[in-house]
Amino acid sequence: MWYVTTASQPSRTDSLSVDESQELVLWVYDPETADASELNRTAIRPSQSSQKLSKLFWNLGQDPVVHTYLKKDAYYSNEHPNLGLWTVTVPALSEDIIINIRGKAVAFQECFVLDTPFIIPRPKQSFSSKEGDISLCSPNNSEIFITWSACFPTTAVLLSDFGTFYTNDGFQTYQEIKVPSDALTQDLSKNVTDVTLTDNGILFLINGTIYKRESNRFLKLGTEHKLPEAKITGIRSRYWCSSIYPVQNGKQLSTLVAWTSNELYLAYNEIFNKIADTANLVKSLDFPDSAALSIETVSYDSVPSEITMLLICSGCSSSKLFYLAFYSEDKQFWGLREFYLPVARNSVSRMIYLNSALSCGLLWNNESIYYTYKNNTTNGFFQVAGSNLSLSELSNGSTIHQIILDYLGNILIKMKNNIFFYTKNELRELIQLPVWINRMKKMVLYLNPSASVYILLIDGSSIYRQTYPLEIEIFSSTFRSEIYCSIIAFQHNMDFNVYYLDKGDKLTFWSQIVFEENVDISTYLKVYRPDLLLLKGSSKYEIARGICTKNEKLVDALGKFIEPPMDLSSQNQFTQILRSMENAADHETNFNICKSPTTFTFYHEMDYTLESNYTQALPSDVVCLKHNFTTYRIPGKFMWNATAEDKIAYYDWDKYGCLMELHYEQYFQPVISMYDGNKYVRRVETNFILWELKGRTDYGYTSSMKEEGCLYKAQSWPMMLNESKNSTLDEIWGPQIIVSETAQQPNEMYPSSLEKPQSRAFGRRKEKETSEPSDSGSVRALIAVIADFIPGFSFAQNSTDEGLHEQYQILNMTSTNSIVWATSHSGIYVFRVRILDPNYSFCDLKAFFAVRTYGIIERSDLSTVLLYSFLILCIFWAFLILSYFRYKKIFQELNYTDSQTSLDLQED
């Protein structure tokens, strides 16, 4: 087998990052010859036999690879043959901590290395203590309480009446949490009633006040943390990890909840905010004016964005009643579920929610457990199979101590005398499991994400961990009964927890269930917010030799157009399209012994980015070159606010990308592509607009409104700027306001219920959502400049033909409309692109691109030409004059020589 451990790390006193990396150390060991430390999972280096065995496998070519369970990522190891081990660095991502170590198919002595699962822990945090520090304990004779991190279950805290203990490796090792003796009195230090984990510490509820233990300090949370300093009755963290749940950009889900009897507080990044009080809830939830509400308990719901409160209402009926109120963090909405239940006497109720697509939870007190499934449409009290007795009666008068839920849908109930009961998600009956631990021993159940559950045994002040074989115990308890599993196989193709969709996208899912004949079993799909989906399904049924096979196929689509009665404004549809779905088998009582999981939950979210594809989607004759300048000059007379001086503009290479070099006579039509991260999705075929970010106006368009087939004057920047005088360019024109230029009435628009979407930045990389320039005071000046630049522009209202000869400023892939450049000068243009069609995507899609024109021969200044001409003429005349005098001198000398020669000849 593979032995996996984390590399030793120095003690940490600073805050831990959520996604820090971890170095794993791997080696091969044989359980029959392994060292005791390897068998009890406490070894930090290979034993001598394991070291030799690992070297032998390395010589045979063994090379382990770490595969993550959810994201399907692979991480490769570094070999250390001299040490007999391998190391691999993996990110401790909160949504993908379950891994599997797989080696090559290499055999030694007819044995292979078994693939081994492992949970990536968070880096260990040290809580320093000094001599004389005191322990934090629960009241005497209190039951043991354990809580763990939702995203890193190996990080946990155990609270007992003899101390508080912290671990980051699932209690293979642990340390006691202590505080300075002067921080708390002895009475307070032994009165801890609740505890929960945070990213950088531990919260304790002591006598109605919350205290926080960090690595190197212990402090009290009060008014400066927006919390009351007394009367707090409970604190809770999430039971299920919410990091895989997609939320709107810029928003986040809370990580902690605290409450008093009449107030609710949520913590975002450990900063608490008061969300509601019962006085306001009476009005907002339409309770009678005479009603008095109090908060019994609070829990995070099955839907990660919702928090559910169990309210006690006095005055709603002749007796006190329980109600369930929920708060949606993404919608910021309070609601009341279809649920009420008489309040049990003299018993504190607790609540926990299951991992499900729809709200699905358990409510219990000391003696009984109430289930509520499928958004409170199925509910009742659990009964033990084949018995009419209560849980307390079947467990010799004991009461409920703990309920454990795991990711496979198992529900394990522990009584105080260590008797266990078991059921599965959405079942209504319990089965009693064989006695495993002596009733006199102190113990608590602990979640094991990669397998089943652990048992933590308490012996004095020591903690020992055992693996509880849940599956074997279930079969042992049902071996002699008529209970059996009718499902032979249940499969599906839902490999990921999150799928991304946009308008018009489709996903096809299938599930197959194989079961015995004459059993009423089928699969079904549970959908949260089904009004956001267009579903189309089909099924095939086959039976042969007493075995039935049923195949379900589902096409999950988001339509191009959302038809009424959907209210887009209330659901903020553009910025979030989010559902969770669950494919499950239709449960029967005997499903609680089925080995394979019968449910799988996943989420949908839209998350697309838009950017110009400079290398592939652009025309082949467009060249993209990167230069080393960061500033450039824009002539002031071509700015929105014309100035005599030129403007120096900054060019951000990371934001705008490389420049596209275009000849000034070349018409240009941008080609826009949509990406999901770095993955190409599709080419954008719908209408889009653009504007120059630096304020240039020296460009235009090739087509007029009439040439594009408009019956009425189309929208344009002058029109939109004239109607919106005090807005930025991002707000003036976009998918939130689209006018049809081919409509029968010139003012016909899309429905007013299309609320302007929350802006979101898209480009070569994400940036803050601002527009350049954003000064609303320049809007009127821009109108004037554009009016001068665009021929035929008029502010007057146009008739059918009036104004149709203006330039058409909307582009798309199928039209002939293009951008035309100035013919008098070259320049650099930085454009912002925005998609107009509100039914194209749920996002407000935007992008950047930049162009530099070339090919214009700049005309010289006339004065310069005259000056150079004058100089040239002067030089020319000077040359002629000098040539004349030189010629004259030479001619005179030549004449003298000729005359002298003539005289000599005459004498001769």
Side-chain angles (χ1 to χ4, degrees), residues 580-611:
S580 63
M581 303 173 66
E582 182 174 318
N583 204 341
D586 192 8
H587 289 307
E588 291 185 356
T589 303
N590 58 2
F591 277 26
N592 52 20
I593 64 169
C594 291
K595 182 177 180 180
S596 61
T598 56
T599 64
F600 180 80
T601 304
F602 63 96
Y603 304 103
H604 283 351
E605 185 201 21
M606 182 288 311
D607 186 16
Y608 281 119
T609 58
L610 178 76
E611 66 183 31

Side-chain angles (χ1 to χ4, degrees), residues 269-494:
N269 293 329
E270 300 188 23
I271 299 175
F272 285 89
N273 292 305
K274 181 180 175 181
I275 301 299
D277 57 57
T278 54
N280 292 328
L281 288 178
V282 170
K283 299 177 181 179
S284 60
L285 297 179
D286 295 328
F287 280 98
D289 294 336
S290 60
L293 299 178
S294 63
I295 302 174
E296 175 75 357
T297 187
V298 181
S299 175
Y300 283 98
D301 205 285
S302 299
V303 180
S305 61
E306 294 182 358
I307 297 100
T308 301
M309 291 195 308
L310 183 65
L311 298 174
I312 298 178
C313 181
S314 302
C316 296
S317 179
S318 57
S319 59
K320 292 183 178 180
L321 294 177
F322 279 133
Y323 286 90
L324 287 178
F326 70 93
Y327 175 71
S328 176
E329 293 188 78
D330 53 359
K331 300 179 186 177
Q332 296 183 347
F333 167 78
W334 277 100
L336 198 62
R337 302 201 186 279
E338 295 292 332
F339 172 93
Y340 69 91
L341 189 69
V343 176
R345 295 181 180 178
N346 301 324
S347 180
V348 176
S349 295
R350 288 155 287 178
M351 186 168 54
I352 192 171
Y353 276 82
L354 288 73
N355 188 25
S356 176
L358 302 181
S359 182
C360 183
L362 304 178
L363 174 67
W364 77 96
N365 53 30
N366 289 336
E367 288 80 24
S368 60
I369 304 173
Y370 189 85
Y371 61 84
T372 173
Y373 299 145
K374 301 178 182 178
N375 276 349
N376 307 107
T377 58
T378 303
N379 45 55
F381 287 94
F382 277 127
Q383 296 292 328
V384 180
S387 174
N388 293 324
L389 300 178
S390 66
L391 295 179
S392 181
E393 292 171 334
L394 287 171
S395 57
N396 302 320
S398 184
T399 56
I400 299 172
H401 173 207
Q402 189 182 15
I403 296 180
I404 289 291
L405 314 175
D406 68 10
Y407 292 91
L408 303 180
N410 297 313
I411 303 173
L412 188 59
I413 301 159
K414 176 192 174 296
M415 309 299 286
K416 290 183 179 180
N417 62 355
N418 299 336
I419 291 179
F420 296 163
F421 295 91
Y422 170 80
T423 187
K424 266 196 171 180
N425 186 5
E426 296 197 6
L427 296 187
R428 308 175 188 181
E429 290 189 347
L430 305 173
I431 58 174
Q432 185 173 351
L433 300 180
V435 176
W436 179 265
I437 298 293
N438 186 289
R439 61 175 297 177
M440 301 304 297
K441 290 188 177 181
K442 289 186 177 182
M443 56 142 316
V444 68
L445 298 176
Y446 178 36
L447 178 67
N448 178 8
S450 63
S452 182
V453 292
Y454 291 125
I455 288 179
L456 298 182
L457 292 172
I458 313 300
D459 184 7
S461 59
S462 300
I463 304 172
Y464 303 95
R465 192 186 76 179
Q466 293 183 3
T467 299
Y468 180 67
L470 179 60
E471 183 180 321
I472 295 176
E473 293 302 295
I474 293 171
F475 284 108
S476 297
S477 62
T478 59
F479 177 72
R480 298 185 181 276
S481 66
E482 297 180 356
I483 300 177
Y484 64 95
C485 184
S486 302
I487 297 178
I488 300 173
F490 176 65
Q491 297 178 330
H492 52 78
N493 70 331
M494 304 173 193

Side-chain angles (χ1 to χ4, degrees), residues 883-895:
S883 299
Y884 168 76
F885 285 107
R886 179 62 178 169
Y887 170 76
K888 186 176 179 181
K889 180 180 179 181
I890 294 173
F891 184 76
Q892 288 176 348
E893 292 177 354
L894 183 61
N895 288 338

Side-chain angles (χ1 to χ4, degrees), residues 715-875:
Q715 285 174 287
S716 61
W717 279 114
M719 175 191 296
M720 304 309 295
L721 291 167
N722 189 38
E723 295 174 356
S724 305
K725 302 177 182 179
N726 297 313
S727 301
T728 63
L729 297 181
D730 269 330
E731 299 169 339
I732 289 173
W733 194 5
Q736 76 275 10
I737 175 170
I738 301 296
V739 178
S740 173
E741 60 269 20
T742 60
Q744 295 299 317
Q745 298 296 331
N747 60 349
E748 181 178 340
M749 296 186 180
Y750 283 88
S752 60
S753 62
L754 293 176
E755 183 183 355
K756 178 186 180 296
Q758 179 180 341
S759 58
R760 184 174 179 180
F762 294 95
R764 294 188 63 84
R765 64 172 58 179
K766 294 183 179 179
E767 75 286 346
K768 293 183 179 179
E769 192 62 35
T770 58
S771 73
E772 299 182 57
S774 59
D775 185 6
S776 60
S778 64
V779 171
R780 294 296 300 175
L782 173 59
I783 297 175
V785 174
I786 293 181
D788 293 335
F789 182 74
I790 301 177
F793 172 79
S794 174
F795 286 98
Q797 295 296 325
N798 294 280
S799 62
T800 302
D801 272 340
E802 259 186 291
L804 295 185
H805 296 287
E806 296 179 18
Q807 292 186 356
Y808 188 65
Q809 298 180 359
I810 300 174
L811 302 167
N812 62 54
M813 190 181 72
T814 58
S815 72
T816 59
N817 194 23
S818 302
I819 302 174
V820 61
W821 311 107
T823 58
S824 61
H825 57 277
S826 300
I828 294 176
Y829 303 82
V830 179
F831 289 103
R832 178 85 150 173
V833 176
R834 190 176 193 183
I835 302 301
L836 284 180
D837 188 356
N839 290 301
Y840 185 77
S841 174
F842 290 109
C843 281
D844 187 9
L845 298 176
K846 302 173 185 177
F848 294 105
F849 72 91
V851 172
R852 180 162 72 173
T853 59
Y854 69 92
I856 295 177
I857 300 176
E858 301 286 347
R859 295 182 179 179
S860 302
D861 186 68
L862 181 61
S863 60
T864 304
V865 173
L866 292 175
L867 176 62
Y868 278 105
S869 299
F870 177 75
L871 289 174
I872 292 172
L873 288 173
C874 290
I875 294 171

